[in-house]
């Protein structure tokens, strides 16, 4: 059985690779990192996630996986922000 390339995983699959503590820490770091820059809008997080996803293609497999997990967590946080608005 061959393993998928990092870019072939869905956001859900990428996030499932993290344990709950890792996911919570990643979410906290995203909030800290982007909150300080005033990035509190879901649209900005989606844009940053897209940048990280594009840049992942230029990295080695391990780095790409980490960048894609970060992008997935950013999209997850953005979706939560949008749901909270509605």
């Amino acid at each position: 059985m061959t393993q998928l390339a990092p870019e072939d995983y869905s956001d859900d699959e990428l996030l499932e690779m993290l344990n709950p503590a890792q996911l919570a820490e990643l979410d906290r770091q995203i909030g800290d990192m982007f909150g300080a820059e005033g990035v509190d809008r879901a649209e900005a997080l989606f844009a940053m996630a897209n940048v990280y996803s594009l840049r992942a293609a230029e990295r080695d497999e391990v780095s790409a996986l980490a960048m894609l997990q970060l992008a997935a967590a950013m999209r997850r946080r953005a979706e939560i922000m949008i749901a909270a608005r509605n």
Side-chain angles (χ1 to χ4, degrees):
M1 181 171 168
T2 61
Q3 186 168 347
L4 295 175
E7 61 273 9
D8 292 335
Y9 288 103
S10 71
D11 280 359
D12 289 337
E13 291 169 324
L14 289 165
L15 296 175
E16 286 173 3
M17 292 177 191
L18 303 171
N19 67 43
Q22 290 172 318
L23 186 55
E25 179 62 17
L26 187 56
D27 191 51
R28 185 195 63 74
Q29 289 175 348
I30 291 167
D32 290 349
M33 180 171 48
F34 294 105
E37 301 298 323
V39 180
D40 58 352
R41 292 185 20 219
E43 296 79 9
L45 278 175
F46 280 124
M48 288 301 298
N50 287 339
V51 169
Y52 275 82
S53 294
L54 290 172
R55 295 286 187 195
E58 302 168 0
R59 307 289 182 194
D60 63 90
E61 210 168 281
V62 173
S63 297
L65 183 61
M67 290 181 79
L68 291 169
Q69 286 173 317
L70 176 58
M74 287 178 180
R75 284 189 285 272
R76 177 183 165 274
R77 185 178 178 93
E79 289 167 359
I80 290 169
M81 292 170 71
I82 289 172
R85 284 193 289 206
N86 296 332

